[in-house]
Amino acid sequence: MMADRKPLISGNWKMNQNHFEAIQLVQKLSYALTKDDITAVDVSIHPPFTDLRSVQTVLEADKIPIALGAQNCHWEASGAFTGEVSPAMLQKLNVSYVICGHSERRQLFGETNEDVNKKVKAILKHEMTPIMACGETLEQRESGEMEDHIVDQVLEGLAGVKKDAVGGLVIAYEPIWAIGTGMTATPDDAQQMCAFIRQTVEEKFGAAAAKAVRIQYGGSVKPGTAPELMNQPDIDGALIGGASLSAEDFAHCIQYRLR
Ligand code: 13P
């Protein structure tokens, strides 16, 4: 992690925790973290939509310095889109970060790079920060298509986004074979791909954007694997699924510097 990019550690709760459980988890997490932890690292949590209002209330009432995040959104501000949630609604709840293009959305719900691009732009327009996810399947890695696939995801996802805005974004590199499998990428493999993503950003958007953009690694990050991953020069944070559902494990990941 380079000194001038503040790490961002994000907990993606996926479709877990009802709003009562969410309140408990946030409170436990706030007890497990110290002021120093939150000064050194930005932290965001991404509960399901039905929990956002409850979690926002707890974070604000107890002045817990954890950013509120969402897992997805639609690109339109309002309209006839049954079942969707708009970026304007998230902005009203003081959501800071919105994940878009998670591999589960791409694989299970058919999201395309074009959809992700519309979401990135809509999130920016509503003054929130996109965490744009990308990652390859095991098949793509083994057949040597991995790099082309990542370039397409990154460049098509960011098409038409201004250089200055790109520097403020977060990109999450999440190899699909590492998600929820316990098979973390080695720190070297993760570093190599995060450096490759940074280089891709540099070629298209310039050195300043590449230097500023934060790149997270995601895929079976646990307290034991977080320190070595976070020590890599191009890894600026982690997007954590399973381990973020335990306040203790998530706090230990955030405290990677102490381990
Ligand atoms: P796991 O940490 O459970 O592997 O999930 C990673 C992920 O998909 C975060 O978005």
Side-chain angles (χ1 to χ4, degrees):
M1 164 74 216
M2 302 274 289
D4 50 353
R5 290 190 297 268
K6 191 171 180 193
L8 171 66
I9 299 203
S10 305
N12 175 8
W13 294 1
K14 307 193 179 182
M15 198 173 70
N16 296 291
Q17 313 286 33
N18 63 41
H19 71 288
F20 293 114
E21 294 162 338
I23 291 169
Q24 283 188 339
L25 181 52
V26 176
Q27 281 170 336
K28 272 195 203 159
L29 182 61
S30 78
Y31 300 141
L33 293 174
T34 67
K35 241 194 184 142
D36 282 356
D37 297 331
I38 307 262
T39 313
V41 182
D42 286 337
V43 177
S44 66
I45 48 173
H46 301 251
F49 289 133
T50 51
D51 301 355
L52 284 175
R53 177 67 178 145
S54 308
V55 172
Q56 179 211 9
T57 305
V58 175
L59 293 178
E60 291 178 5
D62 295 351
K63 296 192 170 52
I64 301 170
I66 292 176
L68 186 59
Q71 300 174 17
N72 181 32
C73 69
H74 195 267
W75 51 83
E76 294 292 343
S78 63
F81 301 99
T82 301
E84 293 291 323
V85 169
S86 91
M89 294 166 181
L90 298 179
Q91 183 182 23
K92 262 283 187 254
L93 289 167
N94 291 344
V95 164
S96 304
Y97 296 94
V98 185
I99 299 169
C100 53
H102 191 281
S103 62
E104 286 149 18
R105 303 258 5 131
R106 294 174 187 268
Q107 290 197 313
L108 304 173
F109 303 100
E111 258 180 36
T112 64
N113 289 341
E114 202 185 349
D115 296 336
V116 176
N117 181 243
K118 287 193 261 187
K119 293 182 183 199
V120 167
K121 288 174 175 163
I123 296 163
L124 286 170
K125 189 172 161 196
H126 289 87
E127 297 170 339
M128 299 177 289
T129 302
I131 299 181
M132 187 183 81
C134 61
E136 80 287 355
T137 60
L138 193 55
E139 210 177 28
Q140 286 165 330
R141 174 168 277 260
E142 286 173 348
S143 66
E145 291 163 36
M146 167 174 75
E147 296 196 342
D148 286 349
H149 176 73
I150 298 289
V151 168
D152 286 351
Q153 285 190 325
V154 171
L155 296 187
E156 290 174 24
L158 299 182
V161 178
K162 294 209 173 79
K163 281 183 186 180
D164 291 355
V166 171
L169 295 180
V170 182
I171 299 176
Y173 169 61
E174 297 206 306
I176 293 168
W177 47 272
I179 295 177
T181 57
M183 275 171 58
T184 322
T186 65
D188 282 351
D189 282 346
Q191 158 58 24
Q192 201 185 333
M193 286 311 290
C194 291
F196 176 74
I197 291 167
R198 197 177 304 286
Q199 184 196 325
T200 304
V201 169
E202 179 163 357
E203 283 164 16
K204 181 73 186 174
F205 298 98
K211 194 162 179 257
V213 69
R214 290 189 287 184
I215 304 180
Q216 296 177 313
Y217 166 78
S220 297
V221 176
K222 306 284 177 222
T225 53
E228 223 189 321
L229 287 161
M230 292 297 298
N231 276 335
Q232 303 302 316
D234 286 291
I235 299 181
D236 310 315
L239 183 54
I240 305 179
S244 74
L245 297 173
S246 148
E248 196 184 19
D249 284 354
F250 191 49
H252 285 164
C253 292
I254 293 163
Q255 293 156 343
Y256 67 91
R257 299 173 327 286
L258 311 174
R259 322 201 129 243

